[in-house]
Amino acid sequence: MTDSVTALFDQVVPAQAPFSTLVKAGQTLRIEDLEGCQAIDTLFYRADDLTERYSSQDTVREQGAAYVTTGTRVMSNEGRVMLTVTADSCGRHDTSAGACSCESNTVRFGHATKYLHACRENFAIEVAKYGLSKRDIVPNINFFMNVPIEQDGGLAIVDGVSSPGDYVELRAEMDVICVISNCPQINNPCNGFNPTPIRVTVREG
């Protein structure tokens, strides 16, 4: 932590693993890239009504910007603010490229990759703990993932820009369930071809 406030929750999430936790309104969620160049796929659900969840479209439209960074209001599909990004040592985070899946890996990288673990499968494992299914997995935020928008409007997944210890902090504006896939992708440079652990902490605001 960067200050003396005692964390209510502090956990290192292993490389390639799923994770989730409750973040109550007013608390601060901190996600730290321990070794650098690690994509962290993240979803949010309203804790007392899981049908309200993160909306990448509403978030981009509300900001008038393609990337998530300090000051971004993380919006729900009901048009409400779920969280606000209060600190960001990296600079920008993708919310357009979505999560890798076994199906997309097969299309992009060949049939030999079909059975490699992927973020969509991580999400499915984790949301099942709350009675949800793959139908409830929506387009996500990719913290620390470098996805420039090319001149033709296409998206590129290139080498990450986060350094060891880079972090993002979000203040919850409502009680939310944070669901993370610590991205297991090894076929493109989003993780430097080497997935690594991350740290998640929750503290009082």
Side-chain angles (χ1 to χ4, degrees):
M1 303 292 292
T2 58
D3 56 33
S4 60
V5 177
T6 302
L8 302 172
F9 178 91
D10 189 338
Q11 182 169 326
V12 172
V13 180
Q16 307 187 49
F19 166 83
S20 63
T21 191
L22 171 67
V23 187
K24 294 184 178 180
Q27 293 179 345
T28 292
L29 169 71
R30 178 184 172 108
I31 302 173
E32 183 178 352
D33 185 356
L34 292 175
E35 298 184 30
C37 197
Q38 174 61 42
I40 304 170
D41 293 44
T42 307
L43 288 170
F44 297 103
Y45 298 83
R46 180 173 171 171
D48 61 356
D49 180 4
L50 298 176
T51 63
E52 185 169 359
R53 65 277 306 260
Y54 174 67
S55 170
S56 59
Q57 300 94 326
D58 288 293
T59 298
V60 168
R61 183 171 62 247
E62 176 72 17
Q63 275 37 258
Y67 299 104
V68 172
T69 188
T70 304
T72 295
R73 298 197 297 173
V74 175
M75 306 298 294
S76 78
N77 59 332
E78 297 293 340
R80 285 187 276 262
V81 182
M82 304 186 80
L83 308 97
T84 302
V85 181
T86 56
D88 176 14
S89 68
C90 182
R92 71 178 194 183
H93 308 269
D94 167 69
T95 190
S96 300
C100 60
S101 66
C102 293
E103 294 82 3
S104 64
N105 283 344
T106 302
V107 171
R108 293 173 179 170
F109 309 115
H111 286 278
T113 66
K114 180 177 181 179
Y115 300 104
L116 293 179
H117 199 51
C119 284
R120 189 164 174 82
E121 283 60 48
N122 267 347
F123 280 147
I125 290 168
E126 203 63 25
V127 302
K129 297 177 181 179
Y130 305 94
L132 303 177
S133 70
K134 276 192 173 184
R135 293 170 63 91
D136 300 292
I137 299 170
V138 295
N140 55 283
I141 299 176
N142 292 307
F143 288 115
F144 307 110
M145 186 165 157
N146 188 16
V147 184
I149 300 172
E150 300 182 319
Q151 287 189 345
D152 64 0
L155 301 176
I157 298 174
V158 298
D159 292 342
V161 295
S162 56
S163 300
D166 269 343
Y167 63 89
V168 60
E169 293 187 345
L170 303 98
R171 181 184 65 245
E173 309 296 354
M174 62 173 68
D175 292 358
V176 297
I177 302 295
C178 170
V179 180
I180 284 174
S181 169
N182 193 15
C183 183
Q185 182 62 257
I186 59 173
N187 298 289
N188 70 41
C190 70
N191 299 321
F193 303 99
N194 179 39
T196 55
I198 62 171
R199 184 183 183 190
V200 178
T201 56
V202 177
R203 68 176 191 270
E204 293 293 353

